[in-house]
Amino acid sequence: MRRILRDNGLSIVFGLLFLGSLVGQALAGHADFINRQLAQGGEPISFGQYVTSADFAVDVAENWQSEYLQFFLYIMATVWLVQRGSPESKPVGRIGPETDEDQQVGRHAHDASPPWVQAGGWRTALFSRSLGLVMGALFLASWLAQSVVGMSAFNAEQLGDFADPLPWPEYITSADFWSRSLQNWQSEFLAIGSMAILSVYLRQRGSPESKPVGASHTITEESG
């Protein structure tokens, strides 16, 4: 058990942090929702009703879609774009999808390679792009979920104000939908850019996201 915990520490710790923060968000969101309801002369709702409501779901979905967008764009951008001196970047001379030898595919695959790499053909081609495809699919799925539950939350407010609800095609072109999306996207883009630049000049001893403490600022793709 101790070995399992050690070997899977990152996924276990961040999984627990995710669950804890999700529960915390639900509890704080429920309290805030009740305060807003009472301030507007409405009736409070139970915790179970809140966590199954569009109001809670849209907040969760808009966070998820922005995170998956961050990873999808970073995975795809780092194939072709580089940042000299950053451990988050490939060396300048390796721009692009790289050779079969670099990627250990085709005749360069070995016995320990994943089965789909050894199989060749469409399976190797698909596996070679599987991370980007899955991240892109998760982004689109969570963005679609955000648009659906966001529409429900928006229309609930519209009806409360005796205004006409919007159908889905109109909602996805509305200011509410794009405001929710863009306010999250800009923070993700800032975080990615900051990490790429700051890791050129700053260090964190022992972290694979940082270069070795004594490494030159100009060294690219070297983890410590």
Side-chain angles (χ1 to χ4, degrees):
M1 178 59 70
R2 183 176 298 177
R3 183 176 180 179
I4 291 174
L5 293 175
R6 182 201 66 188
D7 292 351
N8 300 280
L10 274 175
S11 57
I12 292 172
V13 168
F14 278 95
L16 292 174
L17 286 173
F18 162 71
L19 292 175
S21 60
L22 185 63
V23 171
Q25 178 188 355
L27 292 171
H30 179 231
D32 179 63
F33 185 84
I34 288 178
N35 290 337
R36 287 187 282 117
Q37 285 288 95
L38 294 175
Q40 296 170 3
E43 294 293 328
I45 62 174
S46 69
F47 180 74
Q49 288 175 309
Y50 174 72
V51 295
T52 57
S53 70
D55 193 82
F56 174 69
V58 69
D59 289 339
V60 172
E62 69 184 50
N63 287 328
W64 289 9
Q65 60 89 1
S66 65
E67 295 301 328
Y68 284 122
L69 175 65
Q70 174 191 150
F71 285 114
F72 169 70
L73 289 181
Y74 200 61
I75 290 165
M76 302 308 295
T78 50
V79 175
W80 300 99
L81 303 178
V82 297
Q83 180 64 53
R84 185 182 294 275
S86 175
E88 300 294 311
S89 168
K90 298 190 296 185
V92 176
R94 286 172 53 190
I95 293 175
E98 305 181 11
T99 65
D100 286 354
E101 182 178 5
D102 290 332
Q103 292 295 309
Q104 301 176 36
V105 297
R107 63 187 180 88
H108 302 285
H110 46 79
D111 292 341
S113 295
W116 276 38
V117 174
Q118 300 179 40
W122 67 269
R123 284 176 289 186
T124 297
L126 180 62
F127 185 75
S128 298
R129 297 161 179 82
S130 56
L131 183 59
L133 289 172
V134 169
M135 287 296 182
L138 289 171
F139 160 65
L140 292 175
S142 54
W143 200 24
L144 175 62
Q146 178 200 329
S147 71
V148 174
V149 294
M151 178 191 67
S152 298
F154 179 81
N155 285 337
E157 292 183 6
Q158 288 288 94
L159 293 172
D161 295 334
F162 302 102
D164 292 331
L166 292 180
W168 185 78
E170 290 185 29
Y171 177 72
I172 61 173
T173 61
S174 70
D176 183 82
F177 176 70
W178 284 102
S179 175
R180 287 180 177 275
S181 296
L182 292 171
Q183 70 177 341
N184 285 285
W185 293 2
Q186 53 87 15
S187 63
E188 305 301 340
F189 299 153
L190 176 63
I192 291 175
S194 298
M195 184 62 184
I197 294 296
L198 293 176
S199 60
V200 176
Y201 303 103
L202 304 178
R203 308 287 188 270
Q204 181 59 54
R205 185 168 184 158
S207 173
E209 299 303 310
S210 167
K211 293 185 289 188
V213 176
S216 168
H217 291 328
T218 59
I219 295 295
T220 308
E221 199 205 29
E222 184 174 335
S223 299

mmCIF file with all atom_site columns, all heavy atoms in Angstrom, residues 28-44:
data_model
loop_
_atom_site.group_PDB
_atom_site.id
_atom_site.type_symbol
_atom_site.label_atom_id
_atom_site.label_alt_id
_atom_site.label_comp_id
_atom_site.label_asym_id
_atom_site.label_entity_id
_atom_site.label_seq_id
_atom_site.pdbx_PDB_ins_code
_atom_site.Cartn_x
_atom_site.Cartn_y
_atom_site.Cartn_z
_atom_site.occupancy
_atom_site.B_iso_or_equiv
_atom_site.pdbx_formal_charge
_atom_site.auth_seq_id
_atom_site.auth_comp_id
_atom_site.auth_asym_id
_atom_site.auth_atom_id
_atom_site.pdbx_PDB_model_num
ATOM 1   N N   . ALA A 1 28 ? -20.033 26.522 -0.066 1.00 0.00 ? 28 ALA A N   1
ATOM 2   C CA  . ALA A 1 28 ? -19.992 27.982 -0.118 1.00 0.00 ? 28 ALA A CA  1
ATOM 3   C C   . ALA A 1 28 ? -21.012 28.521 -1.116 1.00 0.00 ? 28 ALA A C   1
ATOM 4   O O   . ALA A 1 28 ? -21.681 29.534 -0.854 1.00 0.00 ? 28 ALA A O   1
ATOM 5   C CB  . ALA A 1 28 ? -18.589 28.451 -0.491 1.00 0.00 ? 28 ALA A CB  1
ATOM 6   N N   . GLY A 1 29 ? -21.153 27.832 -2.252 1.00 0.00 ? 29 GLY A N   1
ATOM 7   C CA  . GLY A 1 29 ? -22.118 28.273 -3.254 1.00 0.00 ? 29 GLY A CA  1
ATOM 8   C C   . GLY A 1 29 ? -23.548 28.172 -2.754 1.00 0.00 ? 29 GLY A C   1
ATOM 9   O O   . GLY A 1 29 ? -24.377 29.034 -3.048 1.00 0.00 ? 29 GLY A O   1
ATOM 10  N N   . HIS A 1 30 ? -23.825 27.118 -1.997 1.00 0.00 ? 30 HIS A N   1
ATOM 11  C CA  . HIS A 1 30 ? -25.164 26.948 -1.434 1.00 0.00 ? 30 HIS A CA  1
ATOM 12  C C   . HIS A 1 30 ? -25.490 28.083 -0.458 1.00 0.00 ? 30 HIS A C   1
ATOM 13  O O   . HIS A 1 30 ? -26.577 28.672 -0.508 1.00 0.00 ? 30 HIS A O   1
ATOM 14  C CB  . HIS A 1 30 ? -25.253 25.600 -0.723 1.00 0.00 ? 30 HIS A CB  1
ATOM 15  C CG  . HIS A 1 30 ? -26.579 25.340 -0.091 1.00 0.00 ? 30 HIS A CG  1
ATOM 16  N ND1 . HIS A 1 30 ? -26.707 24.946 1.224  1.00 0.00 ? 30 HIS A ND1 1
ATOM 17  C CD2 . HIS A 1 30 ? -27.855 25.439 -0.577 1.00 0.00 ? 30 HIS A CD2 1
ATOM 18  C CE1 . HIS A 1 30 ? -27.989 24.794 1.510  1.00 0.00 ? 30 HIS A CE1 1
ATOM 19  N NE2 . HIS A 1 30 ? -28.708 25.087 0.440  1.00 0.00 ? 30 HIS A NE2 1
ATOM 20  N N   . ALA A 1 31 ? -24.524 28.409 0.402  1.00 0.00 ? 31 ALA A N   1
ATOM 21  C CA  . ALA A 1 31 ? -24.743 29.496 1.358  1.00 0.00 ? 31 ALA A CA  1
ATOM 22  C C   . ALA A 1 31 ? -24.944 30.829 0.644  1.00 0.00 ? 31 ALA A C   1
ATOM 23  O O   . ALA A 1 31 ? -25.831 31.618 1.002  1.00 0.00 ? 31 ALA A O   1
ATOM 24  C CB  . ALA A 1 31 ? -23.559 29.584 2.320  1.00 0.00 ? 31 ALA A CB  1
ATOM 25  N N   . ASP A 1 32 ? -24.132 31.069 -0.379 1.00 0.00 ? 32 ASP A N   1
ATOM 26  C CA  . ASP A 1 32 ? -24.260 32.321 -1.137 1.00 0.00 ? 32 ASP A CA  1
ATOM 27  C C   . ASP A 1 32 ? -25.593 32.378 -1.875 1.00 0.00 ? 32 ASP A C   1
ATOM 28  O O   . ASP A 1 32 ? -26.246 33.434 -1.928 1.00 0.00 ? 32 ASP A O   1
ATOM 29  C CB  . ASP A 1 32 ? -23.102 32.436 -2.134 1.00 0.00 ? 32 ASP A CB  1
ATOM 30  C CG  . ASP A 1 32 ? -23.176 33.695 -2.966 1.00 0.00 ? 32 ASP A CG  1
ATOM 31  O OD1 . ASP A 1 32 ? -23.092 34.802 -2.401 1.00 0.00 ? 32 ASP A OD1 1
ATOM 32  O OD2 . ASP A 1 32 ? -23.330 33.586 -4.202 1.00 0.00 ? 32 ASP A OD2 1
ATOM 33  N N   . PHE A 1 33 ? -26.009 31.246 -2.437 1.00 0.00 ? 33 PHE A N   1
ATOM 34  C CA  . PHE A 1 33 ? -27.275 31.203 -3.174 1.00 0.00 ? 33 PHE A CA  1
ATOM 35  C C   . PHE A 1 33 ? -28.450 31.504 -2.248 1.00 0.00 ? 33 PHE A C   1
ATOM 36  O O   . PHE A 1 33 ? -29.369 32.248 -2.610 1.00 0.00 ? 33 PHE A O   1
ATOM 37  C CB  . PHE A 1 33 ? -27.444 29.830 -3.825 1.00 0.00 ? 33 PHE A CB  1
ATOM 38  C CG  . PHE A 1 33 ? -28.652 29.722 -4.708 1.00 0.00 ? 33 PHE A CG  1
ATOM 39  C CD1 . PHE A 1 33 ? -28.614 30.155 -6.025 1.00 0.00 ? 33 PHE A CD1 1
ATOM 40  C CD2 . PHE A 1 33 ? -29.844 29.164 -4.229 1.00 0.00 ? 33 PHE A CD2 1
ATOM 41  C CE1 . PHE A 1 33 ? -29.728 30.046 -6.843 1.00 0.00 ? 33 PHE A CE1 1
ATOM 42  C CE2 . PHE A 1 33 ? -30.960 29.065 -5.035 1.00 0.00 ? 33 PHE A CE2 1
ATOM 43  C CZ  . PHE A 1 33 ? -30.897 29.511 -6.353 1.00 0.00 ? 33 PHE A CZ  1
ATOM 44  N N   . ILE A 1 34 ? -28.417 30.927 -1.051 1.00 0.00 ? 34 ILE A N   1
ATOM 45  C CA  . ILE A 1 34 ? -29.487 31.179 -0.080 1.00 0.00 ? 34 ILE A CA  1
ATOM 46  C C   . ILE A 1 34 ? -29.525 32.657 0.307  1.00 0.00 ? 34 ILE A C   1
ATOM 47  O O   . ILE A 1 34 ? -30.608 33.265 0.392  1.00 0.00 ? 34 ILE A O   1
ATOM 48  C CB  . ILE A 1 34 ? -29.293 30.297 1.166  1.00 0.00 ? 34 ILE A CB  1
ATOM 49  C CG1 . ILE A 1 34 ? -29.616 28.842 0.831  1.00 0.00 ? 34 ILE A CG1 1
ATOM 50  C CG2 . ILE A 1 34 ? -30.173 30.777 2.309  1.00 0.00 ? 34 ILE A CG2 1
ATOM 51  C CD1 . ILE A 1 34 ? -29.411 27.890 1.988  1.00 0.00 ? 34 ILE A CD1 1
ATOM 52  N N   . ASN A 1 35 ? -28.346 33.251 0.520  1.00 0.00 ? 35 ASN A N   1
ATOM 53  C CA  . ASN A 1 35 ? -28.303 34.678 0.863  1.00 0.00 ? 35 ASN A CA  1
ATOM 54  C C   . ASN A 1 35 ? -28.913 35.530 -0.244 1.00 0.00 ? 35 ASN A C   1
ATOM 55  O O   . ASN A 1 35 ? -29.650 36.483 0.034  1.00 0.00 ? 35 ASN A O   1
ATOM 56  C CB  . ASN A 1 35 ? -26.853 35.107 1.122  1.00 0.00 ? 35 ASN A CB  1
ATOM 57  C CG  . ASN A 1 35 ? -26.294 34.529 2.409  1.00 0.00 ? 35 ASN A CG  1
ATOM 58  O OD1 . ASN A 1 35 ? -27.052 34.180 3.317  1.00 0.00 ? 35 ASN A OD1 1
ATOM 59  N ND2 . ASN A 1 35 ? -24.978 34.417 2.493  1.00 0.00 ? 35 ASN A ND2 1
ATOM 60  N N   . ARG A 1 36 ? -28.611 35.189 -1.487 1.00 0.00 ? 36 ARG A N   1
ATOM 61  C CA  . ARG A 1 36 ? -29.167 35.953 -2.606 1.00 0.00 ? 36 ARG A CA  1
ATOM 62  C C   . ARG A 1 36 ? -30.669 35.741 -2.723 1.00 0.00 ? 36 ARG A C   1
ATOM 63  O O   . ARG A 1 36 ? -31.414 36.680 -3.037 1.00 0.00 ? 36 ARG A O   1
ATOM 64  C CB  . ARG A 1 36 ? -28.463 35.572 -3.915 1.00 0.00 ? 36 ARG A CB  1
ATOM 65  C CG  . ARG A 1 36 ? -27.043 36.125 -4.014 1.00 0.00 ? 36 ARG A CG  1
ATOM 66  C CD  . ARG A 1 36 ? -26.416 35.889 -5.373 1.00 0.00 ? 36 ARG A CD  1
ATOM 67  N NE  . ARG A 1 36 ? -25.937 34.523 -5.534 1.00 0.00 ? 36 ARG A NE  1
ATOM 68  C CZ  . ARG A 1 36 ? -26.391 33.661 -6.424 1.00 0.00 ? 36 ARG A CZ  1
ATOM 69  N NH1 . ARG A 1 36 ? -27.393 33.990 -7.226 1.00 0.00 ? 36 ARG A NH1 1
ATOM 70  N NH2 . ARG A 1 36 ? -25.878 32.455 -6.504 1.00 0.00 ? 36 ARG A NH2 1
ATOM 71  N N   . GLN A 1 37 ? -31.104 34.519 -2.487 1.00 0.00 ? 37 GLN A N   1
ATOM 72  C CA  . GLN A 1 37 ? -32.541 34.233 -2.538 1.00 0.00 ? 37 GLN A CA  1
ATOM 73  C C   . GLN A 1 37 ? -33.299 35.034 -1.468 1.00 0.00 ? 37 GLN A C   1
ATOM 74  O O   . GLN A 1 37 ? -34.340 35.636 -1.759 1.00 0.00 ? 37 GLN A O   1
ATOM 75  C CB  . GLN A 1 37 ? -32.782 32.738 -2.316 1.00 0.00 ? 37 GLN A CB  1
ATOM 76  C CG  . GLN A 1 37 ? -32.436 31.865 -3.506 1.00 0.00 ? 37 GLN A CG  1
ATOM 77  C CD  . GLN A 1 37 ? -33.424 32.005 -4.638 1.00 0.00 ? 37 GLN A CD  1
ATOM 78  O OE1 . GLN A 1 37 ? -33.206 32.788 -5.572 1.00 0.00 ? 37 GLN A OE1 1
ATOM 79  N NE2 . GLN A 1 37 ? -34.529 31.271 -4.560 1.00 0.00 ? 37 GLN A NE2 1
ATOM 80  N N   . LEU A 1 38 ? -32.779 35.026 -0.253 1.00 0.00 ? 38 LEU A N   1
ATOM 81  C CA  . LEU A 1 38 ? -33.447 35.743 0.826  1.00 0.00 ? 38 LEU A CA  1
ATOM 82  C C   . LEU A 1 38 ? -33.443 37.252 0.583  1.00 0.00 ? 38 LEU A C   1
ATOM 83  O O   . LEU A 1 38 ? -34.418 37.943 0.887  1.00 0.00 ? 38 LEU A O   1
ATOM 84  C CB  . LEU A 1 38 ? -32.771 35.425 2.160  1.00 0.00 ? 38 LEU A CB  1
ATOM 85  C CG  . LEU A 1 38 ? -32.897 33.969 2.638  1.00 0.00 ? 38 LEU A CG  1
ATOM 86  C CD1 . LEU A 1 38 ? -32.082 33.751 3.908  1.00 0.00 ? 38 LEU A CD1 1
ATOM 87  C CD2 . LEU A 1 38 ? -34.364 33.600 2.873  1.00 0.00 ? 38 LEU A CD2 1
ATOM 88  N N   . ALA A 1 39 ? -32.326 37.761 0.023  1.00 0.00 ? 39 ALA A N   1
ATOM 89  C CA  . ALA A 1 39 ? -32.240 39.193 -0.260 1.00 0.00 ? 39 ALA A CA  1
ATOM 90  C C   . ALA A 1 39 ? -33.257 39.617 -1.318 1.00 0.00 ? 39 ALA A C   1
ATOM 91  O O   . ALA A 1 39 ? -33.724 40.763 -1.330 1.00 0.00 ? 39 ALA A O   1
ATOM 92  C CB  . ALA A 1 39 ? -30.832 39.555 -0.714 1.00 0.00 ? 39 ALA A CB  1
ATOM 93  N N   . GLN A 1 40 ? -33.606 38.679 -2.207 1.00 0.00 ? 40 GLN A N   1
ATOM 94  C CA  . GLN A 1 40 ? -34.561 38.976 -3.275 1.00 0.00 ? 40 GLN A CA  1
ATOM 95  C C   . GLN A 1 40 ? -35.983 38.558 -2.904 1.00 0.00 ? 40 GLN A C   1
ATOM 96  O O   . GLN A 1 40 ? -36.881 38.583 -3.746 1.00 0.00 ? 40 GLN A O   1
ATOM 97  C CB  . GLN A 1 40 ? -34.124 38.262 -4.559 1.00 0.00 ? 40 GLN A CB  1
ATOM 98  C CG  . GLN A 1 40 ? -32.782 38.750 -5.098 1.00 0.00 ? 40 GLN A CG  1
ATOM 99  C CD  . GLN A 1 40 ? -32.246 37.879 -6.211 1.00 0.00 ? 40 GLN A CD  1
ATOM 100 O OE1 . GLN A 1 40 ? -32.892 36.917 -6.645 1.00 0.00 ? 40 GLN A OE1 1
ATOM 101 N NE2 . GLN A 1 40 ? -31.044 38.190 -6.685 1.00 0.00 ? 40 GLN A NE2 1
ATOM 102 N N   . GLY A 1 41 ? -36.169 38.133 -1.652 1.00 0.00 ? 41 GLY A N   1
ATOM 103 C CA  . GLY A 1 41 ? -37.491 37.733 -1.205 1.00 0.00 ? 41 GLY A CA  1
ATOM 104 C C   . GLY A 1 41 ? -37.885 36.339 -1.623 1.00 0.00 ? 41 GLY A C   1
ATOM 105 O O   . GLY A 1 41 ? -39.073 35.990 -1.587 1.00 0.00 ? 41 GLY A O   1
ATOM 106 N N   . GLY A 1 42 ? -36.891 35.509 -2.013 1.00 0.00 ? 42 GLY A N   1
ATOM 107 C CA  . GLY A 1 42 ? -37.188 34.148 -2.435 1.00 0.00 ? 42 GLY A CA  1
ATOM 108 C C   . GLY A 1 42 ? -37.106 33.161 -1.292 1.00 0.00 ? 42 GLY A C   1
ATOM 109 O O   . GLY A 1 42 ? -36.826 33.518 -0.144 1.00 0.00 ? 42 GLY A O   1
ATOM 110 N N   . GLU A 1 43 ? -37.336 31.896 -1.605 1.00 0.00 ? 43 GLU A N   1
ATOM 111 C CA  . GLU A 1 43 ? -37.301 30.832 -0.615 1.00 0.00 ? 43 GLU A CA  1
ATOM 112 C C   . GLU A 1 43 ? -35.963 30.106 -0.675 1.00 0.00 ? 43 GLU A C   1
ATOM 113 O O   . GLU A 1 43 ? -35.423 29.866 -1.761 1.00 0.00 ? 43 GLU A O   1
ATOM 114 C CB  . GLU A 1 43 ? -38.433 29.835 -0.876 1.00 0.00 ? 43 GLU A CB  1
ATOM 115 C CG  . GLU A 1 43 ? -39.822 30.400 -0.667 1.00 0.00 ? 43 GLU A CG  1
ATOM 116 C CD  . GLU A 1 43 ? -40.101 30.725 0.796  1.00 0.00 ? 43 GLU A CD  1
ATOM 117 O OE1 . GLU A 1 43 ? -39.565 30.012 1.671  1.00 0.00 ? 43 GLU A OE1 1
ATOM 118 O OE2 . GLU A 1 43 ? -40.835 31.697 1.055  1.00 0.00 ? 43 GLU A OE2 1
ATOM 119 N N   . PRO A 1 44 ? -35.371 29.757 0.465  1.00 0.00 ? 44 PRO A N   1
ATOM 120 C CA  . PRO A 1 44 ? -34.125 28.977 0.453  1.00 0.00 ? 44 PRO A CA  1
ATOM 121 C C   . PRO A 1 44 ? -34.365 27.564 -0.073 1.00 0.00 ? 44 PRO A C   1
ATOM 122 O O   . PRO A 1 44 ? -35.492 27.054 -0.023 1.00 0.00 ? 44 PRO A O   1
ATOM 123 C CB  . PRO A 1 44 ? -33.708 28.956 1.927  1.00 0.00 ? 44 PRO A CB  1
ATOM 124 C CG  . PRO A 1 44 ? -34.977 29.149 2.685  1.00 0.00 ? 44 PRO A CG  1
ATOM 125 C CD  . PRO A 1 44 ? -35.833 30.062 1.834  1.00 0.00 ? 44 PRO A CD  1
#
